[in-house]
Amino acid sequence: MRRRDFLRKAIGLSLAAGGASIAPLSAWGQACESSVMPRTLVNFMLHGGADLRYLFMPAPSHFDSLYLQRIWPARRALYGNEYANYAQMFDQEYLLTTDPVSGLEFGVSRHAGWLKSEFDAGRVAVIANAVCSQNRRHDQSILNADTGLPNLEILNFDRSGWGGRLVEYLAAAGRDGTNAVEIGPSVSTFNKGSQPGSRLNQVVHAQDMRDISLAAADPDNPGSARSVLSRALSAYYKGRGPEVASANSADWPYHTFFNHHDAISAFGEQVEARLNACLELPEELAQLQLSSPEFAQQCRNLFDVCQVPDALGLGAVSMSYGGWDTHDNETAEISSNLTDIFGDDAGLATAMNAIRNLPEGPIPAASQLMFYFASDFGRQLVVNGTSGTDHGRGTYSIFLGESVRGGVYGEMFPASEARPDQDGLVPLQTPGADIEGLTSTDQLLLAASNWVEPGAGEVVFPDAGSAIVEPGFNPGNLFS
Amino acid sequence: MDKRTGNKDGWPVVCTPVRYTYQSVVKDVTNRLLCFVTLLLTSGLLAANPFVLPPDDSPPMGPAPVAQLEQLDGLATVASENWNVSAIRRVLQAFAFGGHATEHQLQVWAAMQPEQAIIEMLRFDVVNPRLSAMDGARSSGPTCGSLRALQEFWGSEHVRNPVQQFDRSYYGPLDEEGYQLNPIGLFLTWNRAMHTRGCNGFLHKTAFYLTNYHASIHIQNTFVALMRDYYDQTVRALANGMDFEGLMYQAARSGALAVAYGHTASYVNPQTGKFYGNDDFAREYFQLLFGIQGTTEDPEYHEGVTIENNARLLSGMLIDVEPDRFGSQYTPDWLVNEIDFSDHTDAAGRQIFNRTLHHDFRLGEASCLEILHEPICGATADDKLRALGPVAAAHPESMASTPLKLIRFFADERLTPQKSAALQAAWADAELDLLHFLRGYAVSTQFHDPARVKHWSSFERNLNIFNATVLDNRESFARPFFLGPTIPTLNQGGLVFAPIRDVFGGQTGNDAANDRYVFKNGWGVSVATPEYLAVDRLQYQLTENDAPRSWVKQWQKVIPQSTSGGYVIEEVAEWLWDRIIADGGAHFDVLARAQVYSLLATGFDFASVASPEDLDRVYSSQDLIEGPASDFLDELAGMSMDFADPLEQIRVGLAVNFISMTPYSFVSGTYPVPEEAE
């Protein structure tokens, strides 16, 4: 056959045959079916090492007057020269609240008004003196936090995360197709599974829940370049994928991309079609304006995740917010961050309000979410010379959800920070001193995993049993 | 329809002028760039016109160097039989964003000894004509060594400026209001430099690594002037042959890092001796610049002595201000990257006491701090940084980790203990000579090992593909910025000078590989915007009064003809595959061949021509190895292309789109395809 004839024939055939054989995407459209929202942990990572001592400060009425005497000069530089004394600063910068367990009064930063409301409603647990790593290095500590292995010293990101291990447990326990869902811009180690070479097998990346499928052929124009390339690539991935799946070892690097294709093809169209049949984004979420547009998108994604949990195989969620490495100019940076996340009418307040207003299924979706706020590490107690704080270790851990037994756990403002240590140094007067870590976060996460599924914690955190816990605190009591 | 914006294209249709705030620059640049794309793609700019290319007036090549690379300890040189055009393409993709060497030049290098060829291939000269020849008048000229110079040239009305009228304001240094330096112009300029012939891709990829991954800072923390100066200073230092320790010393003393980390404000009170500052860079100097985590050190000593004293060392580094610098009215643009460590008055009339506010200034050169168990002495922070550099570079942790960081970035993410040991031996032998080390590795059996795996970052993948697709500077400059690699790379998570981990660096190959949105958006480039790689003609004006000029694609200028003189589909397909994938055809399996042959022969996918009654038919390899479909495939393979037909350019472009979205475009490696699947 001469090529010219061949071309003419081929093109004619293609154009004539194409339209009828390509099912339009709208065929996926179905009614929005409400589905049961499973208990879901949301790992919320504050990248950079958050100074959560800024978030919580003792009330001027704090019983330990020496502590008050010493924390003010240690932290005063964060608040500029505006305030004559601690009480004046506290009155302007903090909202007074009371721990329902101990009766301790303390302050929550005014920038976190919604968090304070949630605490007052009994939906927030603050665990003092928590520690998730033994070092002060960002990369290593983030790995420690994401893997749930506080003592890990090897800097190798090809490891399983505790979220990945949790969804593997859930799948093994009968929840087939359970996934860790990353709703931030990049998939964190938290999500990764335990099989080298296949660590993303149970991960859904939902950076934008409303834009999650592959560009497809144009059903109205099967001869267009778009349609031609869509068919060519789809045919290649579908044809070649099964062949290479079994013919190559697990660490064959190209598996990843065949898997991406299969996952997005199977998932993306279905999720998008389901969402199109469900509620549109509420106006306040659609129009949400935050300092971090990226975080605003995560809030939208969280709402949509709660609309179609079954389509996602929801088992765990990963969110994040960066910008906590506040070596200088801390107040401006941390205020902005806290406002975005915890402010009245800001990110989480808007998302959770929308989720609470979802049509009620058998179990309200909002009641099934449990947020865990983690960070690389805590920061030093004494403000440095550039109105910021340097890397420390101990910090506060925070859980937020309706199943939390709200309150403060551990000594919120340790008296030892205001008194000489064995070397005669007072931590609140010593540059370099940090919050002493007394409770390992893997103990907390073991309990949280058991809240999701009884028995999960001991499997996901096999070494947590021997980890440290502050005397008098039982992590098993955190959740109802 | 996007329910958030009400726009069916998913992007706002009104381009609102925005005053740049650095906190929002990443979001802003996305919206602005894509907004312009939306508007301009419908503006008739992509008009079609016949066009005849002028004669090639490229300058002749320089004299051939005679030097030969000295082999490094730990690394064996690849055997001559494994040194071929595909191997050379792999080197260029890994180290030079693919480069712009001609097919003839690749053959010449393949015929040379690897130790000789690599000296021609990888050089830190601003212009390396064999790797990327200045393309006649349509080049950037000697300005390729400086982004500042390129911005000023490409944004100007200079008579030799090859940038089209429409684009010039986007590249210019100042924003449209003339108020401040323009970050978008900087982003666009870097990307254009990477695909402009005459600019040395190896030099720039190394500078990109040093400023965006190794001693990384984010433009949000430095503002445009310091970031640009930092990059240009790094390019200059590489071109001047500075070694690794020198490069780190230069970075550590720069104003850009001092502002990004905040230690520019650190000082020691000369009366009390009390230090005011933070320990951020004091820690990261060791961890990031030299790879010293402190794991071999006593933790208390490292935290309490080395890091704390390094914080004191970094005192007296206040940077100068030069009012109206670059014509900007925005004060952060006035900051000067080169710190004057003396007591002096700057151009703004400020008294600066960098010497007096340094640790123990009264002791002058006898002012010392103990760091890494050594007395580090000098009258200023600069003097002490100069003294500390050799100590840090020679630290066992630095010697062990620096070569691995380099090679993980450029070429291999799966370093075994054996490979690592060999690289460490080579680094020790290279004596901090970065160029020698990279060249030695690039011709080593370790680099050319089929088991090597390097996932491409979005920067690398998009630039490698783009440089393989854009054939000369006429095409490069005929393309408006939105048909360049900036937007695809941005949509796949890569924005230069905005590293995703800030000081811990930009998107890695692993990041890109593990991110399904990178895959999804890469698919979108090939499927939804095929014109990006397949555009065959453009019309543009150089100046407002200039007559419209046209460019048309001429793939036949570079595609080798078969021995019989024609362009046989199978041969064109194999050449095109290797030009983009650089695996010598190892993964060019029969299913991929079916699609590429069909696209080249017909402009349609294989099912459209082999089974038009079932457009969505999925063939298996077995279907194409025997039976009617196999015969049909053979028929396609044997056909010839006729470049007198202008549609052939489109067909090649479609094939490029297909090849560049196969799994093999995401990874550099030469894994053999299992025999049973062949």
Side-chain angles (χ1 to χ4, degrees):
Chain A
M1 187 188 297
R2 290 172 57 213
R3 184 165 172 245
R4 189 179 300 273
D5 299 335
F6 181 85
L7 285 174
R8 193 177 298 124
K9 182 182 171 193
I11 293 166
L13 283 171
S14 299
L15 293 176
S21 65
I22 300 174
L25 279 182
S26 57
W28 283 96
Q30 306 160 13
C32 182
E33 298 161 7
S34 64
S35 56
V36 176
M37 175 84 179
R39 286 186 168 186
T40 302
L41 274 172
V42 182
N43 184 52
F44 196 125
M45 190 68 188
L46 309 172
H47 283 295
D51 183 12
L52 296 184
R53 182 54 60 85
Y54 185 96
L55 177 60
F56 303 121
M57 284 286 274
S61 61
H62 191 60
F63 65 89
D64 184 349
S65 57
L66 185 62
Y67 194 92
L68 280 182
Q69 276 177 34
R70 291 191 164 155
I71 197 170
W72 180 225
R75 310 284 292 183
R76 180 175 193 156
L78 291 179
Y79 303 95
N81 298 317
E82 297 171 41
Y83 302 114
N85 55 49
Y86 186 79
Q88 193 181 76
M89 180 282 294
F90 187 92
D91 186 53
Q92 293 296 310
E93 300 283 347
Y94 289 88
L95 299 165
L96 187 66
T97 190
T98 305
D99 172 22
V101 179
S102 66
L104 176 75
E105 287 190 324
F106 65 99
V108 179
S109 168
R110 284 184 181 275
H111 301 289
W114 180 77
L115 181 69
K116 193 257 183 189
S117 304
E118 292 292 299
F119 184 85
D120 290 345
R123 292 194 284 262
V124 177
V126 178
I127 297 91
N129 312 311
V131 62
C132 74
S133 72
Q134 302 300 320
N135 62 86
R136 291 175 168 184
R137 302 194 308 271
H138 290 291
D139 47 6
Q140 185 71 55
S141 289
I142 290 169
L143 186 63
N144 292 132
D146 280 347
T147 57
L149 300 171
N151 297 317
L152 181 70
E153 291 181 351
I154 299 167
L155 189 63
N156 176 3
F157 288 87
D158 185 22
R159 299 193 73 96
S160 65
W162 67 266
R165 297 196 300 273
L166 176 60
V167 298
E168 285 173 352
Y169 178 86
L170 296 175
R175 282 170 56 178
D176 286 342
T178 303
N179 292 306
V181 180
E182 172 66 63
I183 60 175
S186 60
V187 177
S188 69
T189 304
F190 161 81
N191 300 281
K192 293 180 181 173
S194 54
Q195 293 302 314
S198 309
R199 297 199 188 277
L200 299 180
N201 276 3
Q202 286 182 242
V203 180
V204 172
H205 189 191
Q207 183 179 340
D208 184 344
M209 283 285 290
R210 306 251 166 175
D211 179 18
I212 201 170
S213 63
L214 293 174
D218 177 359
D220 296 326
N221 191 357
S224 67
R226 178 189 179 112
S227 296
V228 166
L229 284 163
S230 172
R231 287 195 302 270
L233 284 164
S234 296
Y236 179 74
Y237 276 90
K238 288 176 184 171
R240 190 66 176 142
E243 295 174 354
V244 296
S246 56
N248 294 284
S249 62
D251 66 347
W252 194 58
Y254 307 101
H255 284 312
T256 303
F257 307 98
F258 286 103
N259 290 340
H260 283 343
H261 172 268
D262 293 350
I264 300 173
S265 299
F267 236 74
E269 292 171 8
Q270 190 183 3
V271 169
E272 276 193 17
R274 281 283 303 279
L275 280 176
N276 285 337
C278 289
L279 290 180
E280 291 192 13
L281 284 170
E283 191 65 14
E284 63 272 23
L285 257 184
Q287 301 299 329
L288 184 62
Q289 299 283 330
L290 300 175
S291 296
S292 168
E294 183 185 291
F295 178 60
Q297 181 58 44
Q298 291 185 52
C299 293
R300 296 182 192 105
N301 292 338
L302 184 65
F303 171 80
D304 279 337
V305 162
C306 293
Q307 291 211 80
V308 290
D310 57 330
L312 296 164
L314 188 61
V317 173
S318 171
M319 304 178 75
S320 60
Y321 193 109
W324 300 86
D325 195 17
T326 50
H327 287 279
D328 53 9
N329 197 24
E330 172 167 317
T331 297
E333 292 178 32
I334 202 169
S335 300
S336 172
N337 296 348
L338 290 173
T339 302
D340 259 15
I341 299 171
F342 295 126
D344 292 317
D345 304 322
L348 286 185
T350 307
M352 287 305 294
N353 187 49
I355 291 167
R356 285 172 181 150
N357 287 331
L358 278 171
E360 249 181 59
I363 308 172
S367 71
Q368 299 292 80
L369 290 175
M370 177 71 67
F371 292 88
Y372 166 64
F373 295 91
S375 194
D376 321 13
F377 38 61
R379 302 190 82 82
Q380 294 175 17
L381 293 164
V382 181
V383 175
N384 63 26
T386 49
S387 304
T389 51
D390 293 330
H391 300 185
R393 276 164 293 215
T395 186
Y396 295 105
S397 285
I398 302 171
F399 284 95
L400 188 158
E402 292 185 11
S403 295
V404 148
R405 291 201 175 97
V408 177
Y409 297 83
E411 189 179 6
M412 194 169 203
F413 307 108
S416 59
E417 291 177 357
R419 290 163 176 83
D421 61 15
Q422 66 271 25
D423 299 323
L425 299 171
V426 177
L428 280 172
Q429 296 175 332
T430 306
D434 55 10
I435 296 169
E436 186 183 0
L438 298 175
T439 297
S440 183
T441 51
D442 51 352
Q443 285 274 12
L444 309 176
L445 296 171
L446 182 151
S449 298
N450 281 337
W451 169 79
V452 174
E453 183 75 31
E458 287 73 15
V459 176
V460 177
F461 298 95
D463 300 328
S466 58
I468 54 174
V469 181
E470 187 169 348
F473 167 45
N474 179 1
N477 292 336
L478 279 171
F479 310 102
S480 57
Chain B
M1 171 87 67
D2 186 312
K3 292 178 180 172
R4 294 193 306 280
T5 62
N7 170 18
K8 66 183 172 61
D9 298 317
W11 297 100
V13 292
V14 177
C15 303
T16 311
V18 179
R19 173 63 55 82
Y20 307 121
T21 61
Y22 290 86
Q23 288 74 20
S24 65
V25 72
V26 173
K27 182 190 79 145
D28 184 37
V29 73
T30 311
N31 287 341
R32 288 167 65 87
L33 291 176
L34 286 153
C35 187
F36 284 117
V37 173
T38 306
L39 293 176
L40 294 171
L41 281 175
T42 58
S43 69
L45 195 81
L46 308 181
N49 253 334
F51 178 72
V52 178
L53 281 173
D56 183 6
D57 54 357
S58 303
M61 298 293 182
V66 291
Q68 178 160 322
L69 187 73
E70 189 180 326
Q71 189 167 307
L72 292 168
D73 288 349
L75 299 176
T77 303
V78 64
S80 295
E81 60 265 28
N82 294 326
W83 182 250
N84 51 39
V85 168
S86 291
I88 289 166
R89 288 194 205 278
R90 285 194 287 279
V91 170
L92 297 183
Q93 286 193 345
F95 292 95
F97 294 125
H100 302 115
T102 63
E103 292 297 312
H104 172 70
Q105 183 64 61
L106 297 179
Q107 299 285 353
V108 170
W109 281 334
M112 295 168 70
Q113 291 299 313
E115 303 94 324
Q116 290 179 321
I118 201 68
I119 287 181
E120 292 188 9
M121 292 162 63
L122 302 185
R123 309 176 67 84
F124 282 144
D125 307 71
V126 170
V127 178
N128 177 2
R130 290 183 177 80
L131 176 66
S132 183
M134 291 171 68
D135 194 354
R138 307 212 142 267
S139 73
S140 55
T143 52
C144 262
S146 157
L147 291 182
R148 176 187 167 184
L150 281 174
Q151 271 199 279
E152 288 173 351
F153 183 49
W154 286 344
S156 76
E157 297 303 319
H158 192 286
V159 68
R160 289 177 63 83
N161 182 4
V163 172
Q164 57 187 274
Q165 177 69 29
F166 164 80
D167 258 9
R168 290 181 180 181
S169 64
Y170 297 112
Y171 290 93
L174 291 170
D175 66 7
E176 55 196 321
E177 293 149 332
Y179 174 74
Q180 65 184 96
L181 290 179
N182 177 8
I184 294 176
L186 186 64
F187 302 149
L188 291 172
T189 298
W190 184 83
N191 276 280
R192 180 170 281 291
M194 296 312 105
H195 66 79
T196 293
R197 280 163 172 76
C199 293
N200 181 346
F202 172 57
L203 169 67
H204 282 279
K205 187 165 183 182
T206 307
F208 172 63
Y209 165 74
L210 291 170
T211 55
N212 283 256
Y213 288 84
H214 189 104
S216 165
I217 48 177
H218 196 295
I219 195 169
Q220 171 177 294
N221 300 325
T222 63
F223 310 100
V224 175
L226 286 176
M227 187 79 235
R228 192 177 64 181
D229 283 352
Y230 176 46
Y231 183 87
D232 284 351
Q233 164 193 280
T234 304
V235 169
R236 266 197 313 278
L238 286 167
N240 290 333
M242 193 176 277
D243 70 7
F244 176 75
E245 180 210 317
L247 289 160
M248 294 303 100
Y249 159 65
Q250 178 178 267
R253 71 187 295 280
S254 73
L257 266 68
V259 168
Y261 281 98
H263 55 275
T264 188
S266 294
Y267 67 97
V268 173
N269 184 316
Q271 306 300 326
T272 65
K274 187 175 178 188
F275 169 71
Y276 295 86
N278 66 63
D279 72 8
D280 193 8
F281 186 62
R283 179 187 308 279
E284 309 302 9
Y285 170 88
F286 297 114
Q287 184 177 337
L288 300 181
L289 270 59
F290 290 99
I292 302 170
Q293 310 268 6
T295 51
T296 62
E297 297 280 334
D298 170 59
E300 283 191 22
Y301 178 85
H302 195 65
E303 286 285 337
V305 178
T306 290
I307 291 175
E308 288 308 304
N309 282 347
N310 200 29
R312 293 181 76 91
L313 182 157
L314 298 164
S315 56
M317 295 183 69
L318 196 63
I319 68 176
D320 282 12
V321 166
E322 189 181 309
D324 302 324
R325 198 162 184 239
F326 307 121
S328 170
Q329 301 169 52
Y330 187 52
T331 51
D333 292 337
W334 301 351
L335 301 175
V336 179
N337 186 47
E338 184 72 20
I339 295 178
D340 181 340
F341 290 86
S342 68
D343 291 346
H344 64 283
T345 302
D346 74 1
R350 300 182 310 156
Q351 283 194 296
I352 291 176
F353 299 100
N354 276 343
R355 188 182 178 95
T356 303
L357 296 180
H358 180 64
H359 169 78
D360 269 351
F361 85 99
R362 290 184 184 84
L363 297 179
E365 291 179 1
S367 162
C368 298
L369 286 160
E370 182 184 329
I371 299 175
L372 292 176
H373 315 282
E374 296 285 341
I376 303 299
C377 303
T380 64
D382 185 38
D383 295 342
K384 287 193 176 76
L385 283 171
R386 192 190 300 274
L388 181 57
V391 176
H395 190 279
E397 288 187 40
S398 180
M399 293 299 289
S401 63
T402 300
L404 310 191
K405 286 173 75 171
L406 283 161
I407 297 310
R408 284 196 185 104
F409 170 78
F410 281 103
D412 195 343
E413 291 161 332
R414 294 187 183 174
L415 292 176
T416 61
Q418 293 77 14
K419 284 181 176 179
S420 298
L423 290 169
Q424 287 156 348
W427 181 246
D429 192 25
E431 297 179 332
L432 306 179
D433 182 341
L434 190 58
L435 180 59
H436 190 181
F437 176 72
L438 293 177
R439 282 171 166 173
Y441 175 73
V443 292
S444 70
T445 51
Q446 190 177 127
F447 176 79
H448 294 277
D449 177 1
R452 181 180 61 84
V453 172
K454 164 72 171 82
H455 297 90
W456 296 125
S457 70
S458 296
F459 297 102
E460 294 169 315
R461 179 173 167 274
N462 282 289
L463 283 167
N464 284 341
I465 292 168
F466 198 74
N467 280 329
T469 304
V470 173
L471 302 181
D472 53 31
N473 275 349
R474 288 196 70 84
E475 175 174 359
S476 175
F477 285 104
R479 286 169 171 261
F481 74 82
F482 57 80
L483 286 180
T486 308
I487 292 172
T489 306
L490 183 64
N491 281 338
Q492 292 161 45
L495 182 63
V496 65
F497 305 132
I500 59 172
R501 292 190 188 81
D502 203 324
V503 297
F504 292 92
Q507 182 202 55
T508 65
N510 263 323
D511 292 332
N514 288 329
D515 187 336
R516 288 197 172 133
Y517 271 79
V518 171
F519 182 87
K520 182 188 102 62
N521 291 339
W523 180 285
V525 168
S526 283
V527 172
T529 57
E531 67 275 9
Y532 165 63
L533 294 175
V535 64
D536 68 324
R537 59 193 58 218
L538 290 164
Q539 190 179 70
Y540 61 97
Q541 284 178 286
L542 271 187
T543 63
E544 211 168 328
N545 300 320
D546 189 33
R549 297 169 184 238
S550 297
W551 158 86
V552 292
K553 191 91 176 187
Q554 295 200 348
W555 273 107
Q556 65 274 29
K557 279 175 52 181
V558 294
I559 298 176
Q561 293 191 24
S562 67
T563 47
S564 59
Y567 296 93
V568 178
I569 294 285
E570 182 178 27
E571 294 175 12
V572 173
E574 288 175 350
W575 174 84
L576 201 58
W577 181 274
D578 197 50
R579 185 174 171 92
I580 296 168
I581 305 297
D583 67 350
H587 299 99
F588 198 20
D589 54 75
V590 68
L591 290 175
R593 285 174 185 270
Q595 298 297 346
V596 176
Y597 293 175
S598 183
L599 291 166
L600 288 173
T602 72
F604 283 85
D605 53 299
F606 187 72
S608 292
V609 290
S611 57
E613 72 287 353
D614 181 6
L615 292 185
D616 292 328
R617 175 165 178 187
V618 174
Y619 289 87
S620 68
S621 294
Q622 200 57 38
D623 293 335
L624 300 179
I625 290 170
E626 56 190 357
S630 169
D631 297 339
F632 186 73
L633 184 61
D634 288 343
E635 193 175 355
L636 288 175
M639 291 178 175
S640 290
M641 301 188 78
D642 176 7
F643 283 100
D645 177 359
L647 289 178
E648 297 288 37
Q649 307 297 334
I650 299 281
R651 293 180 190 119
V652 177
L654 291 172
V656 169
N657 271 299
F658 173 84
I659 294 168
S660 63
M661 195 48 216
T662 59
Y664 316 105
S665 74
F666 289 87
V667 188
S668 173
T670 50
Y671 269 58
V673 180
E675 285 180 12
E676 63 269 32
E678 280 289 87

